[in-house]
């Protein structure tokens, strides 16, 4: 499997490259929160590539950001690489989100979580204090 930087860059790039900087940071924070959470794998690549957890990993398209050569994709790669490096070095948004989805979908699991906020077109969630069976 790839190194943590490569995996985190891919997650941010494919999940949030078109989002505002805070949205990219929030996706990075979700990955890092999962790494620290006992219910998820304990390394970045295992979290990112856990079965059907992030949509880009099972959409049938390349998971390598360098396969997307447009000017805007190259710029996004540079930006998300900086975000990934910062979060691997310990930067944090301070939020506890472990889940998110776009505004265009309504997953059945969302009722088990508390909304932390909306950034760009993503809603971020943390396990509800009332429902610890998330």
């Amino acid at each position: 499997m790839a190194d943590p930087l490569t995996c985190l860059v891919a997650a941010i790039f494919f999940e949030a490259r078109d989002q505002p900087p805070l949205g990219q940071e929030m996706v990075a924070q979700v990955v890092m929160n999962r790494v620290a959470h006992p219910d998820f794998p304990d390394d970045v690549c295992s979290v990112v590539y856990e079965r059907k957890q992030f949509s880009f990993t099972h959409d049938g398209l390349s998971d390598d950001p360098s396969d997307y050569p447009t000017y805007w994709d190259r710029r996004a790669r540079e930006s998300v690489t900086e975000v990934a490096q910062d979060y691997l070095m310990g930067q944090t948004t301070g939020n506890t989100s472990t889940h998110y989805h776009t505004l265009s979908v309504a997953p059945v699991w969302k009722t088990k979580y508390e909304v932390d906020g909306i950034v760009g077109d993503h809603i971020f969630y943390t396990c509800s204090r009332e429902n610890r069976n998330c």
Side-chain angles (χ1 to χ4, degrees):
M1 194 167 286
D3 65 281
L5 179 61
T6 299
C7 294
L8 189 54
V9 165
I12 303 166
F13 180 83
F14 289 111
E15 297 287 312
R17 72 179 178 258
D18 63 344
Q19 298 300 297
L22 180 58
Q24 294 175 2
E25 290 185 37
M26 292 286 287
V27 168
Q29 187 69 62
V30 164
V31 172
M32 301 312 292
N33 287 345
R34 286 184 175 201
V35 168
H37 195 285
D39 292 343
F40 294 95
D42 61 0
D43 67 88
V44 171
C45 291
S46 294
V47 163
V48 169
Y49 289 98
E50 186 175 14
R51 188 173 184 273
K52 293 196 174 190
Q53 293 297 301
F54 295 93
S55 59
F56 82 93
T57 66
H58 57 277
D59 63 5
L61 302 174
S62 172
D63 291 350
D64 183 351
S66 67
D67 287 342
Y68 298 80
T70 71
Y71 169 79
W72 295 111
D73 288 332
R74 287 193 311 272
R75 294 278 312 266
R77 255 192 331 272
E78 292 170 9
S79 171
V80 304
T81 297
E82 289 179 25
V83 171
Q85 290 170 329
D86 290 345
Y87 277 75
L88 288 170
M89 295 297 293
Q91 182 167 323
T92 180
T93 61
N95 103 5
T96 58
S97 299
T98 54
H99 291 75
Y100 64 89
H101 64 81
T102 66
L103 296 171
S104 64
V105 299
V108 296
W109 53 259
K110 74 179 194 168
T111 59
K112 294 183 179 180
Y113 298 85
E114 291 180 3
V115 173
D116 292 326
I118 297 174
V119 179
D121 67 3
H122 289 87
I123 304 173
F124 293 86
Y125 297 87
T126 297
C127 187
S128 168
R129 287 174 188 82
E130 293 80 39
N131 181 5
R132 288 296 180 191
N133 296 318
C134 298

